[in-house]
Amino acid sequence: MSDPTNAATKAPAAPKTPAATKTPPHRSPRAYAWLAGSLLLLALPFYLDRFWLQAGLFAMAAAIGAIGLNLLTGATGQLSMGHSFFLAVGAYGYCVFAGDSGEENGRRLTGLGLPTWLAVVLAVLLAGAAGGLFSPIAGRLRGAYLGIATLALIFIGQHVLFNAGGLTGGFNGRDVPVLSLFGFAFDDTEVVIAAVPFGSSEKLWYAGLFALLAGGLFARGVLRGRPGRAMNAIRDHRVAAGVMGVPVARYRAAVFVLSSMYAGLAGVLIALIFQRTVPDYFGMILALEYLAMIVIGGLGTVAGAVVGAAFVALLPQLLTHYSDSLPLVADPGSGGVTPGEAARYLYGAAIVAVVLFLPGGLTRLSVPTVRRFSREKT
């Protein structure tokens, strides 16, 4: 006969969760979303026209540069106002390394005539070397002081771009050599694939996708590893990070160099898209746009850089394309609000909205977030 007291004191066994009910990682909704997004991006050149492909390419180039700036500002807490300087170093470095010496627009230009794939690598390394020259300052300054110091890079860069005519072409810029890889040229020579003619935009689309994927995965690995934890510690409390044994000055200098290399790669891609480099493009406005990208998308994350870059890079293109059907937006020179000005107004409104209501950026915007915010308001 069993003891009723012992039977009563026995706790019921917890039900075991069968292993079969757990969703394998490769079957999670996020994995399916990534797979669907990747297939969509690979298929877009077969369906979109040149305008949309170039807009997407600009967004990819902006995303690469924004990832680098987010490593510096979002993850490490170093304010940089001179990101456009390193984009210019990458763009013009590629032109000098890959271009040939000769006359252009009545000006004698210098070029080394190297293979274009090697010119891309050297241009990225040149941007990193430029960041390395500035890294001793970046390793010791912080906050607004570093922002003012990097702001000087834009003025120095603009002076060099306009006056070093033999390298940059001066005010009119210089042509960009066509990228060629293993004998395959990324130019407008049509290549028919699945009955679809591929020109330069279609070819560069896949080169841009590869560069963005490689840069995003590398930055993600950095942020999730030991360097990322050290960078976040420096951002949150510099003195405490130093006490824990983190070499603060060395990490700051290294991240500045890495961010400059990302900017150099973005500059090369922008030059290949434009097919001509112009000094006016690499000015103060571009630097502010990159700051807007990482704030709107979300500081300290790769996804935030990509989302913010897509928002900031695509918005002027959309406003220009649909300016005829949009109210309060007029063609340039007509006296109204131009698409570029309207886009900057929207950037400002988006930054204010993100800072006030969504500090984590657009990447933190989700259905639960919206529901929680609506409950708090009610």
Side-chain angles (χ1 to χ4, degrees), residues 32 48 55-56 108 110 162 179 200 212 223 247 270 279 303-304 310 317 326:
Y32 285 124
L48 297 182
R108 179 72 180 178
T110 302
F162 281 112
L179 178 65
S200 61
L212 177 58
L223 291 174
I270 288 174
Q317 306 287 336
L326 291 175

Short mmCIF file of all heavy atoms in Angstrom, two decimals, residues 32 48 55-56 108 110 162 179 200 212 223 247 270 279 303-304 310 317 326:
data_model
loop_
_atom_site.label_atom_id
_atom_site.label_comp_id
_atom_site.label_asym_id
_atom_site.label_seq_id
_atom_site.Cartn_x
_atom_site.Cartn_y
_atom_site.Cartn_z
N TYR A 32 14.64 31.89 -44.02
CA TYR A 32 13.85 31.95 -45.25
C TYR A 32 13.79 33.37 -45.80
O TYR A 32 13.82 33.59 -47.02
CB TYR A 32 12.44 31.43 -44.99
CG TYR A 32 12.35 29.93 -44.85
CD1 TYR A 32 11.80 29.34 -43.72
CD2 TYR A 32 12.82 29.10 -45.87
CE1 TYR A 32 11.72 27.96 -43.60
CE2 TYR A 32 12.75 27.73 -45.75
CZ TYR A 32 12.20 27.16 -44.63
OH TYR A 32 12.14 25.79 -44.51
N LEU A 48 14.79 44.92 -63.99
CA LEU A 48 14.79 46.37 -63.80
C LEU A 48 15.52 47.07 -64.93
O LEU A 48 16.43 46.51 -65.55
CB LEU A 48 15.46 46.72 -62.46
CG LEU A 48 14.77 46.20 -61.20
CD1 LEU A 48 15.52 46.68 -59.97
CD2 LEU A 48 13.31 46.64 -61.15
N ALA A 55 20.29 53.30 -59.21
CA ALA A 55 19.86 53.70 -57.87
C ALA A 55 20.24 52.63 -56.84
O ALA A 55 20.72 52.96 -55.75
CB ALA A 55 18.35 53.94 -57.86
N GLY A 56 20.04 51.37 -57.19
CA GLY A 56 20.44 50.30 -56.29
C GLY A 56 21.94 50.24 -56.08
O GLY A 56 22.42 49.98 -54.97
N ARG A 108 47.22 67.57 -68.83
CA ARG A 108 48.04 66.37 -68.79
C ARG A 108 47.77 65.60 -67.50
O ARG A 108 47.98 66.12 -66.40
CB ARG A 108 49.52 66.75 -68.87
CG ARG A 108 50.48 65.56 -68.82
CD ARG A 108 50.45 64.78 -70.10
NE ARG A 108 51.37 63.65 -70.07
CZ ARG A 108 51.52 62.78 -71.04
NH1 ARG A 108 50.80 62.92 -72.15
NH2 ARG A 108 52.38 61.80 -70.95
N THR A 110 48.15 62.09 -65.03
CA THR A 110 49.08 61.03 -64.67
C THR A 110 48.32 59.76 -64.36
O THR A 110 47.31 59.78 -63.65
CB THR A 110 49.92 61.44 -63.45
OG1 THR A 110 50.62 62.65 -63.74
CG2 THR A 110 50.91 60.35 -63.07
N PHE A 162 41.01 70.10 -56.21
CA PHE A 162 40.86 71.18 -57.18
C PHE A 162 42.19 71.66 -57.74
O PHE A 162 42.24 72.19 -58.86
CB PHE A 162 40.12 72.36 -56.55
CG PHE A 162 38.64 72.18 -56.48
CD1 PHE A 162 38.01 72.03 -55.26
CD2 PHE A 162 37.87 72.14 -57.63
CE1 PHE A 162 36.63 71.84 -55.18
CE2 PHE A 162 36.50 71.95 -57.57
CZ PHE A 162 35.88 71.81 -56.35
N LEU A 179 36.35 48.71 -65.14
CA LEU A 179 36.82 47.57 -64.36
C LEU A 179 36.86 46.33 -65.24
O LEU A 179 35.91 46.05 -65.99
CB LEU A 179 35.90 47.33 -63.16
CG LEU A 179 36.21 46.13 -62.27
CD1 LEU A 179 37.56 46.31 -61.58
CD2 LEU A 179 35.11 45.93 -61.23
N SER A 200 26.71 47.77 -68.47
CA SER A 200 27.58 48.05 -67.33
C SER A 200 26.83 48.01 -66.01
O SER A 200 27.36 47.52 -65.00
CB SER A 200 28.24 49.42 -67.51
OG SER A 200 27.26 50.44 -67.58
N LEU A 212 29.43 44.30 -51.10
CA LEU A 212 28.60 44.59 -49.92
C LEU A 212 28.49 43.37 -49.02
O LEU A 212 28.57 43.48 -47.78
CB LEU A 212 27.21 45.04 -50.38
CG LEU A 212 26.19 45.31 -49.27
CD1 LEU A 212 26.70 46.37 -48.31
CD2 LEU A 212 24.86 45.74 -49.88
N LEU A 223 32.18 42.78 -35.06
CA LEU A 223 31.31 43.25 -33.99
C LEU A 223 30.92 42.13 -33.03
O LEU A 223 30.71 42.38 -31.84
CB LEU A 223 30.05 43.89 -34.58
CG LEU A 223 30.27 45.22 -35.31
CD1 LEU A 223 28.98 45.68 -35.97
CD2 LEU A 223 30.78 46.28 -34.36
N PRO A 247 43.59 48.17 -24.90
CA PRO A 247 44.44 49.27 -25.37
C PRO A 247 43.59 50.28 -26.16
O PRO A 247 43.38 50.14 -27.36
CB PRO A 247 45.46 48.57 -26.26
CG PRO A 247 44.81 47.29 -26.68
CD PRO A 247 43.87 46.90 -25.59
N ILE A 270 31.57 53.98 -56.30
CA ILE A 270 30.89 55.19 -56.76
C ILE A 270 31.53 55.70 -58.05
O ILE A 270 30.84 56.12 -58.99
CB ILE A 270 30.94 56.27 -55.66
CG1 ILE A 270 29.99 55.89 -54.53
CG2 ILE A 270 30.56 57.64 -56.22
CD1 ILE A 270 30.07 56.81 -53.33
N PRO A 279 35.29 66.63 -58.11
CA PRO A 279 35.62 67.00 -56.72
C PRO A 279 34.42 67.48 -55.91
O PRO A 279 34.36 67.25 -54.70
CB PRO A 279 36.65 68.12 -56.90
CG PRO A 279 37.24 67.90 -58.25
CD PRO A 279 36.13 67.33 -59.08
N ALA A 303 23.25 45.94 -40.04
CA ALA A 303 21.93 46.11 -40.64
C ALA A 303 21.48 47.57 -40.60
O ALA A 303 20.86 48.07 -41.53
CB ALA A 303 20.91 45.23 -39.92
N GLY A 304 21.81 48.27 -39.51
CA GLY A 304 21.45 49.68 -39.42
C GLY A 304 22.13 50.51 -40.50
O GLY A 304 21.51 51.41 -41.08
N ALA A 310 20.24 52.73 -47.59
CA ALA A 310 19.19 52.57 -48.60
C ALA A 310 18.19 53.73 -48.52
O ALA A 310 17.76 54.27 -49.55
CB ALA A 310 18.47 51.24 -48.40
N GLN A 317 16.69 59.77 -55.42
CA GLN A 317 16.42 59.15 -56.71
C GLN A 317 14.91 59.00 -56.94
O GLN A 317 14.40 59.29 -58.03
CB GLN A 317 17.09 57.78 -56.77
CG GLN A 317 18.57 57.77 -56.48
CD GLN A 317 19.39 58.35 -57.60
OE1 GLN A 317 18.97 58.37 -58.74
NE2 GLN A 317 20.56 58.85 -57.27
N LEU A 326 4.50 64.46 -57.75
CA LEU A 326 4.55 64.75 -56.33
C LEU A 326 4.27 66.22 -56.08
O LEU A 326 4.80 67.09 -56.78
CB LEU A 326 5.92 64.39 -55.74
CG LEU A 326 6.26 62.90 -55.66
CD1 LEU A 326 7.69 62.71 -55.17
CD2 LEU A 326 5.31 62.17 -54.72
#
